[in-house]
């Protein structure tokens, strides 16, 4: 047994490398700082900050992608465990170590600067009064796209400049969201050394699984399209009970709109629904609002404040609303468009898609 254990210890440590990580000018004396494994997102080591310093040492898989940060911190120091001691200076956010990790730290700071420029641009716009936001909306959208493209291109360039080393591993997770899954797959198909890193392979596998789950969920949701609506009954804000069948299948086009007073995207979408109601109500279009609220006062206040003059239903049970099981509602805003005969013809029509569909119907 002793021989077997010794052999295992030798083989297990064969691909390991020692890490020594020290920190200076660290805020928060007495707080715990962690070394995280970026694949599992779990801490593998920790240290208490004392007199603005800390030290961690141990062994981990060679070239493992790790990070140093406080728990729930907004920013972390990424690093690769290549066996060279690492020093982190919190005063200027600089990490030094091997040539690879020193260069990674510089790239990380530069990308963070680009992100902050993008983020501050958005916050400056959101801090404007509502009337100024509305007046400058088109220019904001144009500049938003410019900032996003600049940020995306910067990351793509950093990946391209470092395709012969592991640095792209630290930034590749941004690509599916910023540049699309096809670009992500294109980069991975290049055969560059970093594409075989366990973190990248795990990310690829996870994204594929998430994509499959999303497609499956979307398929389940869209299964109602082409079928007759499923009836349910809920009270309005005055306590009077109504069935969906009072409105759907009665010769009018009906939009069943799922929303809640606490839902920011719902609030953003509601002017679009109100515009549709104003345009087409007299032509045979009806909106039925179904709320996922659990507070009547907030529900009723939102109906008035958001200018929603159509019928509203809710049993105030939040996500336990009867419509959840019937129509697979797992996110809002969502909606169903039902034709005059009671058949569900579309789902999830938002923004211009809703306006275009109704313009086609009522042309």
């Amino acid at each position: 047994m002793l021989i077997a254990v010794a052999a295992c210890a030798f083989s297990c440590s064969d691909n390991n490398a020692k890490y020594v990580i020290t920190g200076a000018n660290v805020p928060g004396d007495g707080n715990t700082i962690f070394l995280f494994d970026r694949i599992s997102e779990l801490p593998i080591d920790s240290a208490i900050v004392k007199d603005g310093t800390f030290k961690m040492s141990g062994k981990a898989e060679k070239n493992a992608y790790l990070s140093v940060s406080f728990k729930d911190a907004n920013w972390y120091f990424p690093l690769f465990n290549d066996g060279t001691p690492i020093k982190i200076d919190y005063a200027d956010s600089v990490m030094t170590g091997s040539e690879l990790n020193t260069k990674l730290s510089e790239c990380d700071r530069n990308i963070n600067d680009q992100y902050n420029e993008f983020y501050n641009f958005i916050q400056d716009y959101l801090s404007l009064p509502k009337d100024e936001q509305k007046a400058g909306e088109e220019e904001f959208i144009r500049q938003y796209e410019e900032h996003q493209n600049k940020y995306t291109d910067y990351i793509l360039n950093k990946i391209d400049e470092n395709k012969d080393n592991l640095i792209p591993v630290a930034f590749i997770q941004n690509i599916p969201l910023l540049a699309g899954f096809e670009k992500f797959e294109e980069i991975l198909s290049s055969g560059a050394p970093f594409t075989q890193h366990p973190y990248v392979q795990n990310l690829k596998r996870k994204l594929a699984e998430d994509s499959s789950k999303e497609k499956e969920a979307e398929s389940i949701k869209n299964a109602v399209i082409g079928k007759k609506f499923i009836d349910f009954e809920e009270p309005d804000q005055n306590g009077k009970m109504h069935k969906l069948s009072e409105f759907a299948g009665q010769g009018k086009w009906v939009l069943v709109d799922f929303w809640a007073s606490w839902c920011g995207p719902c609030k953003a979408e509601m002017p679009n629904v109100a515009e549709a109601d104003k345009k087409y109500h007299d032509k045979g279009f009806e909106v039925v609002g179904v709320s996922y609220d659990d507070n009547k006062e907030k529900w009723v206040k939102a109906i008035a404040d958001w200018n929603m003059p159509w019928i509203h239903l809710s049993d105030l049970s939040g996500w336990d609303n009867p419509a959840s099981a019937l129509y697979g509602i797992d996110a809002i805003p969502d909606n169903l468009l039902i034709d005059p005969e009671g058949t569900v013809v579309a789902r999830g029509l938002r923004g211009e898609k809703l306006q275009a569909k109704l313009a086609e119907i009522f042309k």
Side-chain angles (χ1 to χ4, degrees):
M1 283 181 63
L2 289 173
I3 294 172
V5 170
C8 177
F10 178 78
S11 63
C12 290
S13 64
D14 191 44
N15 196 38
N16 284 356
K18 184 177 180 180
Y19 61 81
V20 177
I21 305 169
T22 56
N25 300 309
V26 186
D29 271 12
N31 290 337
T32 304
I33 196 161
F34 295 91
L35 177 65
F36 287 93
D37 175 78
R38 298 302 300 170
I39 293 179
S40 68
E41 299 293 345
L42 296 174
I44 61 174
D45 202 350
S46 64
I48 304 297
V49 178
K50 183 179 180 181
D51 297 330
T53 67
F54 72 84
K55 181 177 180 179
M56 287 184 281
S57 62
K59 284 189 175 182
E61 186 176 349
K62 185 172 176 59
N63 291 325
Y65 178 34
L66 310 174
S67 65
V68 173
S69 71
F70 290 103
K71 188 177 180 182
D72 301 324
N74 292 326
W75 195 50
Y76 56 82
F77 291 89
L79 61 98
F80 295 103
N81 184 38
D82 57 9
T84 302
I86 288 173
K87 296 180 181 179
I88 296 174
D89 189 336
Y90 264 76
D92 51 16
S93 300
V94 171
M95 181 181 74
T96 55
S98 64
E99 182 181 350
L100 175 67
N101 279 317
T102 302
K103 187 176 182 182
L104 171 61
S105 177
E106 181 183 0
C107 287
D108 186 49
R109 292 195 306 277
N110 291 339
I111 288 177
N112 193 57
D113 288 343
Q114 291 290 322
Y115 173 79
N116 285 335
E117 182 182 325
F118 188 14
Y119 177 81
N120 291 334
F121 160 73
I122 296 171
Q123 294 306 306
D124 288 345
Y125 173 77
L126 294 177
S127 67
L128 295 172
K130 294 296 182 184
D131 57 337
E132 292 185 34
Q133 286 187 32
K134 189 65 177 176
E137 187 173 18
E138 288 188 12
E139 178 63 16
F140 168 76
I141 293 172
R142 186 188 68 78
Q143 290 191 36
Y144 179 94
E145 291 176 351
E146 285 184 1
H147 277 277
Q148 181 169 328
N149 290 337
K150 180 181 177 183
Y151 179 58
T152 303
D153 289 344
Y154 192 87
I155 294 178
L156 288 172
N157 286 337
K158 285 298 177 187
I159 290 174
D160 189 58
E161 290 171 6
N162 294 282
K163 56 189 175 185
D164 61 341
N165 60 58
L166 292 179
I167 286 177
V169 172
F171 310 114
I172 192 71
Q173 77 274 10
N174 295 295
I175 300 307
L177 180 63
L178 293 172
F181 197 73
E182 287 186 6
K183 185 64 178 179
F184 174 76
E185 289 187 318
E186 178 188 322
I187 292 172
L188 262 58
S189 66
S190 67
F194 75 87
T195 64
Q196 300 306 311
H197 191 279
Y199 177 83
V200 178
Q201 291 299 309
N202 183 69
L203 178 64
K204 180 182 178 181
R205 184 166 53 252
K206 188 174 181 298
L207 288 172
E209 290 173 357
D210 289 346
S211 177
S212 178
K213 288 177 182 177
E214 286 178 10
K215 288 178 181 178
E216 183 180 354
E218 198 66 23
S219 177
I220 292 171
K221 283 186 173 186
N222 289 333
V224 299
I225 296 175
K227 297 180 180 178
K228 186 175 176 61
F229 74 92
I230 307 168
D231 207 5
F232 58 84
E233 186 176 27
E234 297 187 34
D236 63 18
Q237 60 266 52
N238 298 314
K240 183 180 179 181
M241 299 300 293
H242 293 277
K243 288 186 175 182
L244 179 59
S245 54
E246 292 177 35
F247 314 98
Q250 302 298 319
K252 289 186 175 183
W253 287 88
V254 174
L255 183 77
V256 186
D257 186 48
F258 303 104
W259 68 288
S261 65
W262 44 260
C263 170
C266 299
K267 184 176 182 180
E269 176 64 15
M270 212 53 74
N272 186 52
V273 179
E275 182 183 351
D277 179 70
K278 184 177 180 180
K279 274 185 183 179
Y280 302 111
H281 180 76
D282 293 340
K283 298 181 179 181
F285 176 66
E286 195 84 48
V287 180
V288 177
V290 178
S291 172
Y292 277 67
D293 276 280
D294 56 12
N295 182 297
K296 183 173 182 179
E297 185 179 345
K298 292 180 180 179
W299 173 42
V300 173
K301 186 176 186 299
I303 292 171
D305 291 350
W306 297 4
N307 187 29
M308 301 156 64
W310 46 85
I311 185 75
H312 289 277
L313 308 176
S314 181
D315 68 347
L316 298 174
S317 63
W319 287 108
D320 291 327
N321 190 292
S324 294
L326 295 175
Y327 291 104
I329 308 296
D330 57 10
I332 51 176
D334 198 356
N335 58 45
L336 304 170
L337 183 62
I338 303 172
D339 74 10
E341 288 72 44
T343 300
V344 180
V345 298
R347 179 167 194 163
L349 296 171
R350 295 171 62 182
E352 286 301 317
K353 288 184 179 180
L354 176 61
Q355 298 298 333
K357 184 65 177 178
L358 294 177
E360 176 189 331
I361 290 169
F362 293 105
K363 60 183 177 182

